[in-house]
Amino acid sequence: MNITNEFSLTFVSKSLNEGFARSAVASFALQLDPTINELADIKTAVSEAVTNCIVHGYEFEQGQIYINGKITDTNKIILKIRDKGRGIENIEKAMEPLFTTGGGERAGLGFAVMQSFMDKVRVNSIVGKGTTVVMEKSIKKSYNYTADRENG
Amino acid sequence: MIETTYQNKTLTAFLSGDIDHHNAGEIRARIDGQAENLHPKKLELDFAKVKFMDSSGIGLIMGRYRQMSLLGGRLEVVNVPKNLERLMSLSGISSLGVLKSQKN
Ligand SMILES: Nc1ncnc2c1ncn2[C@@H]1O[C@H](COP(=O)(O)OP(=O)(O)OP(=O)(O)O)[C@@H](O)[C@H]1O
Ligand SMILES: [Mg+2]
C-alpha cells in the first residue's frame, strides 16, 4: 500500500470551522470518486471528530486543530484529526454509545457515528496533552473511462 | 436555517441546511424561546430541507424531547430525508416514539 496523495490543514477551534473542515476533506476525497453516500459518511465522521476537538478538547479555550489526510493506491482515505486539548482519561468508556461529559444537549454518539460511517477508527489520547483520532475508509473503485484511456 | 409557524397549538420548526454543533445553538434558542412563550401542545421538527446533520442534530432532538416533556407537550420529528435515516436509526431515537416518516 502506497500513499498517492496527502494534505495537511490547521485551523483554530472556532465552531464556524466545522463546516469548513467537512467541505475541505470532502473536496480532497472527491479524487477517489466516492458515491454521494460515501462522501456524506466521510463528512459526518469529520464533523464528529472536529466538533469533539472544539467542544471537549478545548472547551472554553481556543487552540489549533490539525487534520492530515492521505489517499492510498488501494483507494483508501486515511484521516488523522488532532487537538492539543485536555485529553481523554478513559478512552474505552468515552467510546461507549451514549456516554457524554457534554451535558443535556449532547447525545454521546460521536464516536459511534465515526465507527459506523468509517471502516476503522483509532483513538489516542494523553490527559493534558491532547487527542488524536485516526479514521480509514475504503472507497469502492468505479469504472472510469477517462482514467482508463489515459493510463493506456 | 430555521423558520417557525404556530397553528392549532402546534409549533412547527422548518429546519434547513446543515445541522452541526455550530448551527444547533441558534436553532435550539429559537425553538426553546418560542416554546416557552407559546406552550404548544405539539412541537414539530420538520427535517425536509436538512442537507447535512451529525450527532449534534440528535442532541437537538433529544434536548427538545426533554424540553417538551417539561412543558407538558409532545414532540414529533417529520419528513426525515433518506440520507439521514441511518444516523437517526443508529441514535435509537425511534424508541422515543417521535419519528413520523410522513407528515399528515
Ligand atoms: N477531542 C476530545 N478531547 C477530550 N475529550 C473528548 C474528545 N473527544 C471525545 N471526548 C470525550 O468522549 C466523550 C464521548 O464523545 P462522543 O463524540 O462520542 O460524544 P459527545 O461528543 O459527548 O456527544 P455527541 O458527539 O453525540 O454530540 C465526550 O463526551 C468527551 O468526554
Ligand atoms: Mg461528539
Side-chain angles (χ1 to χ4, degrees), chain A residues 15-16 18-19 22, chain B residues 1-5 12-31 34 44-53 57 60 84:
Chain A
S15 65
L16 186 63
E18 291 158 8
R22 289 196 292 278
Chain B
M1 235 166 59
I2 172 167
E3 276 173 43
T4 58
T5 59
T12 305
F14 297 92
L15 308 176
S16 59
D18 291 6
I19 304 183
D20 59 5
H21 157 254
H22 178 69
N23 294 326
E26 192 187 326
I27 295 173
R28 177 180 69 229
R30 284 278 297 278
I31 294 173
Q34 297 206 23
E44 203 173 67
L45 300 179
D46 190 319
F47 278 78
K49 290 190 176 149
V50 175
K51 292 269 173 297
F52 171 88
M53 180 175 121
L60 183 78
L84 296 184

Side-chain angles (χ1 to χ4, degrees), chain A residues 81-96:
Chain A
I81 299 176
R82 185 163 69 94
D83 68 62
K84 293 184 176 173
R86 71 156 199 251
I88 303 175
E89 222 164 283
N90 185 338
I91 296 174
E92 212 177 310
K93 181 150 199 172
M95 292 182 81
E96 277 171 24

